């Protein structure tokens, strides 16, 4: 016989799969001897069977009956007993927190008789009828499936008749009338009476909670949060305690440390004469927790003791819900508490110092995304600014601008020099121009993977999405009690998910200042957050196996990357050096009609390239600098074909032809037009198609190396060939590079080596890595292109067009451009690493796509056995931290294939 | 001690790797007791060692010496013996025929003494001095490395002085003077004398042949023909015989059957008083072989006997070079002879009927490319047309047009309605417009994988390339004695590689007529080639495991495919049904701004789609019809953005805006612009992005099936989802298809099943085939897109741009768009087949890319375990034939991984 019901005394915190998070923690507290109202948990197994078969397991009701009997014995009262009824709460509790998404039924056990008994035992008749009124309403709606507004309408009518401003002003007689009216309504609506048998109430409430797992809201929430649909929820049945029995009663929430800053010391809110729901809903203003000391010294002291117990036991910040019923303290819930990034760093460091957790555990408690948030400027809280809404922190940073409600308005105002925040219910591809123009994006719908979130992250724009309390219309939005009209200034904190009215004052990031300085801060002057960051980065550096390099194309970026802790450059894109002032030089190369013209153009490109390399090698002296040969389609250096076509047509219509140079450009652009430039003449194909290009670039690198050596430096250049599909391409280019390199070295009388490697960024390169490794001193995965070709979509075209739809439909869990797709792209990477190293033992393998700075992807690369990740300079600290964290992680079963 | 020299009596035809093709066949003939002048072969091993180390193996000269001694013993004469010299020929002979690409030295053994002895023994002084003159010239050029033109200049001068019109008019005295002048020239040029010691001549000639393996021409040829560079050549040393000793001597070539038509009976040419070279070079007109019977009945009878011996021994058409030296018949070479496609079919069928080869061997002797050639119209040979040049038959078919020599002229004339043939030395991407405009392309340079060949095959244009006897200038070309000026009409036969002067008369293909009729021809009326084709197709159909389906989008194509033997439709592209008249309907769907507008547009598309499906299902009644959901990017249905931009700008400049519909189109095109449309919103993504599209298409198929059933038919529709990258896409669309299908069936009261499968055309689909198979009733590899994404190039952009460079550089062996890339794309296919069938045993797997009709690819697909190939209707017979052939082939080691 499967066991479907566990007494709180029988469970524990490691049983969350079976008992849900709340049930497991209630059990844990019970076992610790903390004052938890007695109760039991119906397992997720039972829920899954119910959802699967439409029926509860055969003996569930019997098992519930037995546990109820035990509960009654312990309490010395019976459920719904007429003179002094035992009352129960029935609450959902899934493996992962889904706040407010499923159902709760309170005050089970009240009926026409026991309501009288409760009035007497509580010495409060009105309280008893108010409780009964709530049960009937909640039961009718939740369990019997009636439309909740029907009850609201009755309540409103009776309040009007009695001229009561709110519920609390209804007297006992009115409440009695309300109960009767509700019961009639139920009978009329459903054809059955409100059940008077307490056990019927209990059994039906449990089934209702099960059913609520598949409610519309719950399913949407799970999809957004990527919680599997097949987990089901547990149900917690617990003796009711009441914080609303008078001034000697009350409810509160408490944190064992400040979840905003991480400061040690208790923190929380307390509300006298209230139930827990009232504290959370904020109907009345709660007081700081310290106040409780003045009102009920005993309970406060007990609470502090219990909080210490819980924190030592859970070895982390806990948040707690408690109720005091006529002077008796009850703990109703606890869990490891949510916190800001700053708090996460601070608390992990404190707990480590306090000896409560090991230094490895402390490192595991902080993460790269948190570090990113600490690197952005933040709004300094002040009286002048008020949080008017909160949502999901979807793309970090802080921005201030005028609220606008359409893409067109965003464009209009930003063209006029105004900073704007685009506010939309949700964004679509049509909002793209507005998003580009805006400082930040705020939406009221959608999660971390919504269109707004995905596109904003891609653009590096601040974004708060899914701010559900915000209502957006075409010319204003309302949030809390505020209405913000078009043009009014708001401030958006994409790191923490907050929206402020007005222009909130910004403070620079102390962490960024520290990182930019490139040196440890002397402890005396550093703020706590800098000390904590420093501590964890040092720890991660000591622990990690993966090296971290940076993608950098300029001496400035190289220098910054080094300050941020990069151990070299994993990707130096030479095309970036061809832009700006030098574009005419490239144009000349492309337009060359003879070998002589082309050679002259290449010769003119050589000196500036060489100078760039000299400066970059200087900035990275003693560390590897991986220089990639020219990669992009050449027409990227030329004007747009449609623009030129329009100009040519207009010139023609005006009776004059295009001027000489422009005409040549137009011809070149027309000749070189490609249907799919990403899949055209680029990468290594350029080197094979344009005589002299590889030679020029090789010479520039080699001469720069010679110059650096002569200047006393230690240059470590590596040359990387892009977009190789077949080993013959690499071998051909490699031969040329090696020959040229030897020529320059021999002429200079130097003998410095230069590894020649390749990007693995096409599926075929990965599939033939064993052969390619024979011509490659190193591999570097270009995961951007590898993702594009493996999936067959170009990021430019599809991310805005249909990724959000894919994320909403559950086709993606995350964008494969943000986090590496383990199943497809990842499989190619593992295969290439294995076969590359088989063919060339000790082959150096890295990654230089944007995934190199994504925490989840860094973990994958570590497991896949890469030697280094290379990412943008700003992501270097993130990669260092995550590389350290994953070195300490046990291998996961799904990663060991 | 390695053995480097084999007497002819020691070798055999299976030793071609070691002895080269010629050496192996000479040995084979010797062993058969045929009259072959004695000789020996120096192995390819010796050559490889020479090429590798720069020296011949230590004891090679000794081994040669020993074999020479044995040769001398047998002949009873010594090499270069003063009174009656033994003379030797030294010829190259590699594993694969490389005609004319390497060196030959004849008459080794002549020197200042032995020339006199030869004059006496041959009773012909002039002959002796002419032979000596040839040796000195050949040796100076080939062995001593002198510029050949130096000798030509001397010869010309002496001819002028003696007023001789050609070499044959020089008398003995003049030849003696020529020899002396040559020898002086050698001394002056090289600083050493022409070697008088016969053994020196021999040893140096052998080394010269080795060296010629790496000559410029030989290397280019090997690259073009994809012959590995590391094979090396063998050297055949053989006693000279002379066909130029008078009218009782002569040389000829003979074929055991007619290599042009396949007709049984001997066939060849004979030239009296001539050496073999003279027959081949065509300096003098040879007579038909039959003539020999009148001149030398004995030799002719012997020759016939030997030919019968050879054909029974080789069990195939043999070609033979022979020489009659004063009434004695000598066979100098034999090999399995080249033949036309028609001859290949005829001879295989004959040999099978004659019992010389089994029916499986006969089937192995014909091939798909040959069948393709038989399916094109051909030029009927006639007196009015003359072959003026021959080249490589690079793209089959026959075309007639005015010769043009530039892309511009091709465009100009074709725009004026004239048919043209583009003639170029070689083509480049700049010639692309001209190639599009031309009926055929003729080049004087480049092989089967040259730019011209690759692009012409891609376009389905006739092409002859590498016609080396043709000299192309900017306004004419010369070939043989003819000069063809711009505008003069020529005829190009891309099936056989011939070029004719004037408009050659075309005859329809009897094979095509037969295939188009769709029924076996009654034997009495069929031509032989039709009977042979019918025979081999029937045999292949009986043998093959692979099914053959066709790619067809119209009822006409479906009907033709069925006549050609297709067993269903493997790819029915629904986008093709959206073109033409129906384009406005698609436009309306794309421009729809509301759900109502879009639904109306979809509703209007439904009836024509359904009607198409009804007709196609009718044409393929009882056979599977795989219908692919809409695939291409939507802007393919809209006008070009640049055109519209120009029109908008011109309208603007003219003070008027674009008209309403055009403006809407312009907006839509601008909104939908994609950087890389191939990687954009297309395939299954369309079905997920456009509400109602999948439903409309499913409904059209389902209703067509119902209509066909009501009409008494047996419709077997399958629905195929394109461009799936992840199983969730397929599962989502599949769910909709299944739901809609059930709805239509239930409404119609029918219960017909419809398999729903997917294309595997992205690397990720192949890499996750196991999961995808869970939602797929079948897989169909889209090898075009799979090749594009695996390699990261788009066919449109790269094939013309750099494929020929890649082929020339040896980076490709063949275009991966013509023949499946086994290493990369093929690996994905094997993996997907294995993991798909693991997940769903018995999963049907086919291919519907263009590779489905490529012979080499068909063999790969058979080995990879596919169930069917699907190709264009015209390729169906090819696929049937090749599928039959590969069923009989033993598995190759490299295919069994």
């Amino acid at each position: 016989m499967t066991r479907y019901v566990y007494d709180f005394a029988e469970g524990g915190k490691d049983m969350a799969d079976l008992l849900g998070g709340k049930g497991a923690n209630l059990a844990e507290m019970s076992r610790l001897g903390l004052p938890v109202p007695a109760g039991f948990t119906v397992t997720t197994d039972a829920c899954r069977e119910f959802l699967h078969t439409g029926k509860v397991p055969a003996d569930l009701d019997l098992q519930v009956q037995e546990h109820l009997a035990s509960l009654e014995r312990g309490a010395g009262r019976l459920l719904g007993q007429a003179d002094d009824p035992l009352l129960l709460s029935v609450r959902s509790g899934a493996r992962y927190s889904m706040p407010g998404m499923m159902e709760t039924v309170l005050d089970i056990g009240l009926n026409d008789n026991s309501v009288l008994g409760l009035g007497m035992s509580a010495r409060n008749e009105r309280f008893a009828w108010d409780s009964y009124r709530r049960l009937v309403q909640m039961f009718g709606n939740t369990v019997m499936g009636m439309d909740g507004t029907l009850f609201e309408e009755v309540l409103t009518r009776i309040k009007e008749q009695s001229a009561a401003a709110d519920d609390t002003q209804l007297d006992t007689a009115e409440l009695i009338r309300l109960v009767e009216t509700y019961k009639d309504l139920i009978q009329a609506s459903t054809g059955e009476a409100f059940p008077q048998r307490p056990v019927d109430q209990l059994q039906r409430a449990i089934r209702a909670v099960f059913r609520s797992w598949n409610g519309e809201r719950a399913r949407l929430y799970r999809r957004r949060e990527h919680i599997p649909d097949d987990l089901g929820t547990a149900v917690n049945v617990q003796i009711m305690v009441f914080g609303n029995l008078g001034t000697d009663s009350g409810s509160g929430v408490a944190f064992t440390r400040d979840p905003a800053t991480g400061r040690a010391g208790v923190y929380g809110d307390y509300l006298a004469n209230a139930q827990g729901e009232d504290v959370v809903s904020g109907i009345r203003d709660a007081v700081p927790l310290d106040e409780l000391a003045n009102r009920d010294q005993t309970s406060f002291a007990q609470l502090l003791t219990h909080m210490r117990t819980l924190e030592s036991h859970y070895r982390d910040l806990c948040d707690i819900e408690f109720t005091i019923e006529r002077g008796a303290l009850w703990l109703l819930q606890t869990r490891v508490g949510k916190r800001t990034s700053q708090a996460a760093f601070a608390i992990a460091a404190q707990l480590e110092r306090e000896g409560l957790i090991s230094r490895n555990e402390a490192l595991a408690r902080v993460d790269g995304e948190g570090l990113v948030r600490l690197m952005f400027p933040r709004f300094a809280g002040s009286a002048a600014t008020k949080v008017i809404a909160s949502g999901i922190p979807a793309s970090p940073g802080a921005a201030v601008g005028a609220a606008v409600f359409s893409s067109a308005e965003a464009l209009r105002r930003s063209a006029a020099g105004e900073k704007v925040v685009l506010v939309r219910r949700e964004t679509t591809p049509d909002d793209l121009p507005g998003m580009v123009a805006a400082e930040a994006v705020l939406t009221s719908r959608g999660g971390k993977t919504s269109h707004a979130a995905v596109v904003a992250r891609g653009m590096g724009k601040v974004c708060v999405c899914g701010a559900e309390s915000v209502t957006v219309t075409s010319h204003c939005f309302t949030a809390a009690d505020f209405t913000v009209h078009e043009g009014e200034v708001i401030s958006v904190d994409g790191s923490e998910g907050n929206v402020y009215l007005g222009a909130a004052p910004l403070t620079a990031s102390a962490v960024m200042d520290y990182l930019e300085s490139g040196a440890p801060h002397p402890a005396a002057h550093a703020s706590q957050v800098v000390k904590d960051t420093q501590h964890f980065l040092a720890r991660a550096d000591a622990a990690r196996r993966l090296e971290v390099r940076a993608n950098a194309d300029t001496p400035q970026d190289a220098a910054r990357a080094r300050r941020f802790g990069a151990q070299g450059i994993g990707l130096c894109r030479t095309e970036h050096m061809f832009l700006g002032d030098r574009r005419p030089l490239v144009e000349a190369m492309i337009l060359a009609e003879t070998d002589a013209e082309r050679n002259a153009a290449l010769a003119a490109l050589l000196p500036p390239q060489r100078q760039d390399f000299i400066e970059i090698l200087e900035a990275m002296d003693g560390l590897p600098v991986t220089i990639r040969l020219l990669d992009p389609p050449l027409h990227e250096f030329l004007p747009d074909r449609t623009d030129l076509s329009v100009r040519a047509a207009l010139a023609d219509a005006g009776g004059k032809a295009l001027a000489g140079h422009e005409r040549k450009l137009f011809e070149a652009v027309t000749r070189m037009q490609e249907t799919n430039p990403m899949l055209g003449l680029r990468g290594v194909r350029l080197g094979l198609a344009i005589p002299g290009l590889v030679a020029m670039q090789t010479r520039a690198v080699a001469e720069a190396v010679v110059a650096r050596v002569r200047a006393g430096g230690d240059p470590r250049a590596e040359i990387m060939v892009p977009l190789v599909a077949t080993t013959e391409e690499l071998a051909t280019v490699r031969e040329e590079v090696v020959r040229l390199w030897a020529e320059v070295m021999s002429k200079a009388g130097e003998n410095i080596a230069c590894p020649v490697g390749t990007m693995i960024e096409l599926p075929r390169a990965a599939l033939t890595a064993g052969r390619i490794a024979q011509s490659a001193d190193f591999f570097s995965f270009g995961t951007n292109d590898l993702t594009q070709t493996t999936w067959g979509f170009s990021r430019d075209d599809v991310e805005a067009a249909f990724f959000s739809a894919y994320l909403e439909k559950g086709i993606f869990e995350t964008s494969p451009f943000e986090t590496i797709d383990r199943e497809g792209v990842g499989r190619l990477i593992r295969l290439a690493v294995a076969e590359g190293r088989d063919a060339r033992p000790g082959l150096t393998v890295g990654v230089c796509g944007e995934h190199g700075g994504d925490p989840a992807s860094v973990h994958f690369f570590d497991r896949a056995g890469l030697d280094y990740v290379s990412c943008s300079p700003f992501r270097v600290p993130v990669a260092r931290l995550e590389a350290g964290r994953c070195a300490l992680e046990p291998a996961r079963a799904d990663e060991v294939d």
Side-chain angles (χ1 to χ4, degrees), chain A residues 516 549-566 568-569 571-573 576 615-616 619-620 871-874 876:
Chain A
E516 279 280 16
R549 299 187 189 175
N551 302 343
D553 314 326
T554 64
Q556 295 72 36
D557 275 357
R560 165 177 288 132
R562 191 163 196 162
R563 290 196 300 275
F564 281 18
I569 292 182
L571 174 62
C572 175
R573 281 164 289 222
H576 286 200
E615 292 172 24
I616 290 171
M620 276 287 166
C871 54
S872 86
F874 288 106
V876 164

Side-chain angles (χ1 to χ4, degrees), chain A residues 447-605:
Chain A
K448 250 192 138 73
T449 52
S450 63
H451 180 267
V454 169
V455 176
R457 278 200 296 280
M459 294 178 179
K461 300 271 176 190
V462 174
C463 178
V464 170
C465 61
E468 302 209 342
S469 66
V470 169
T471 306
V472 183
T473 71
S474 65
H475 286 87
C476 70
F477 76 88
T478 54
D481 298 336
F482 296 90
T483 297
V484 176
H485 294 94
E486 190 155 86
E488 286 185 54
V489 170
I490 57 173
S491 303
V492 181
D493 180 344
S495 304
E496 302 300 343
N498 292 326
V499 183
Y500 302 87
L501 197 62
L506 272 173
T507 41
S509 157
V511 168
M512 182 60 102
D513 288 349
Y514 150 65
L515 290 168
E516 279 280 16
S517 73
H521 273 209
H525 300 102
S527 63
Q528 190 58 45
V529 66
V530 166
K531 284 184 201 160
D532 295 340
T533 305
Q534 212 165 300
H535 169 74
F536 285 117
L537 281 175
R539 177 73 198 114
D541 286 344
R544 70 191 156 92
R545 185 191 65 72
L546 271 182
E547 273 190 35
V548 177
R549 299 187 189 175
N551 302 343
D553 314 326
T554 64
Q556 295 72 36
D557 275 357
R560 165 177 288 132
R562 191 163 196 162
R563 290 196 300 275
F564 281 18
Q567 295 162 287
I569 292 182
L571 174 62
C572 175
R573 281 164 289 222
T574 54
E575 57 268 24
H576 286 200
M577 306 173 180
F578 282 171
L579 298 176
D581 299 351
R582 301 181 193 162
R583 197 189 285 263
L585 300 177
V586 184
E587 255 182 35
M589 177 186 83
I590 299 172
L591 298 181
E593 286 175 357
T594 64
D595 286 353
E597 280 177 28
R598 187 174 45 246
N599 289 339
L602 287 168
L605 277 166

Side-chain angles (χ1 to χ4, degrees), chain A residues 615-633:
Chain A
E615 292 172 24
I616 290 171
L617 288 166
E618 185 175 4
M620 276 287 166
D621 199 58
L623 295 175
V625 173
T626 310
I627 294 165
R628 182 174 72 183
L629 299 179
L630 193 67
D631 181 51

